[in-house]
Amino acid sequence: MNPASVMFYIWSILLILATSLGNSWGYYPMKISGILTISLFLFVILIVFYVSCKKDVRECCELPKASSYTLCLFFVSLYFFSEAMYFIKLNAYIPIKELPFQLWKWKNLILTGTFDENSILFIGKQLSFIGTIIAYTFINERKKSRRIILGFIVVVYILMVFFYPRRDVMINKLVCILTPFIFKYRKSLKNLLKIVLPIGIIFVIIFFYLNDSLTFGESNIKHAIASYSFGAFNSLQKAIDIGYPTNTNLLFGNTFYFLYMILKYVFPNLAPPSIILETLGKDTSNVYTSLIAPVLDANGDVFYLIVAVILYAIWIGMIMCISYNFYLKKQTIASLCLYSTVLSCVVRSFYNPTFSYSDIVFAVFYSIILSILTKKFRKEKRF
């Protein structure tokens, strides 16, 4: 369950596929430069993680035994209130009954900023850790009546996650809600598959439906599979070879994007530009792995790229170690939610610069809030 190993396995498998299948599937071929860059990135993460961890990463991780039904209902209420307000507001742009057939229009409203998803009214919808709290409470609840209610909430929550036009948001929330189940059933593959497999199958179906709907049928299944898996490594290789034009003069402005997002409130001139990635030709996609951030900053400078990759890997390795140690030391809902966010960033890192964005910053902030709230809501001696 340690995030460094999970990331290493995911990236290694996809790198092998990108090297062996990428060119034959119409993607830019992998070269030594790309393989070495990715290898450096992964090994620095592993070194930092294993050297920094105070506890043996093979130590058995258990879920906290106590749970708070009241705290769970509080966040469930916040979530469904936000969902209701979200679709009420969205209805002014697209009638709700037409949404399933106009997903492209829905997505465009979001990406262009025409529909502001960051409204405070939608805060519950945006908090991915709510899924972790729901699943965690469901697993630990002993009262049959409450467990039935929570089981129903889990199902409804997952269905609501699927009713959205952006794949990355879906994956993020699904990882967060599945994390407690993975902890619970990690030693029982049969029980784990009973939960993960149906959700995975539904996601794959939704994924290809979205692919067809959002591209008007122009992107075939083979291209979609490659674009959102190993093809991201081939696209990264081309970005390394020809250089991807930087969009800022800020030092490591894309690699440590989240840092400038915070500093801009003190120093407005440090506001980073939006990271909008486009394809570099027919043999690439607009998906480039997390390493596109340092590639953007390097802008063709090999030395800059090596330094950026190493610093980026150190940051990621330390975050993994801190979240993992925090959970081993303080097995609480706050530490579990922080860990689930880090795990989500790991799972999405092969196609998205998740560790450059604000996910971790907000996760730390919300874990502090959760620590405070548990003292207000808990009746157990230890949460």
Side-chain angles (χ1 to χ4, degrees), residues 1 7 34 49 55 58 88 125 162 201 207 267 283:
M1 285 298 295
M7 185 169 181
F49 179 81
K55 293 190 176 184
R58 293 171 296 180
I88 288 172
K125 178 180 176 63
F162 284 131
I201 292 173
F207 177 90
F267 306 103
D283 54 355

Side-chain angles (χ1 to χ4, degrees), residues 8 21 37 42 57 107 151 228 238 290 310 315 361 365 375:
F8 179 80
L21 298 178
T37 301
L42 293 177
V57 295
K107 184 176 181 179
Y228 288 91
K238 189 170 185 177
S290 286
I310 292 175
W315 151 251
V361 175
F365 173 75
K375 295 178 181 179

Side-chain angles (χ1 to χ4, degrees), residues 41 252-262 272 275 289-297 308 312-313 315-316 319 345 348-349 352-361:
F41 177 62
F252 302 118
N254 294 287
T255 306
F256 298 110
Y257 189 86
F258 65 91
L259 183 60
Y260 290 99
M261 288 178 66
I262 298 172
I275 301 176
T289 81
S290 286
L291 278 175
I292 191 60
V295 169
L296 276 168
D297 289 331
Y312 193 35
W315 151 251
I316 294 173
I319 284 298
C345 287
R348 296 180 292 132
S349 65
N352 197 328
T354 49
F355 287 100
S356 296
Y357 294 153
S358 58
D359 298 50
I360 302 299
V361 175

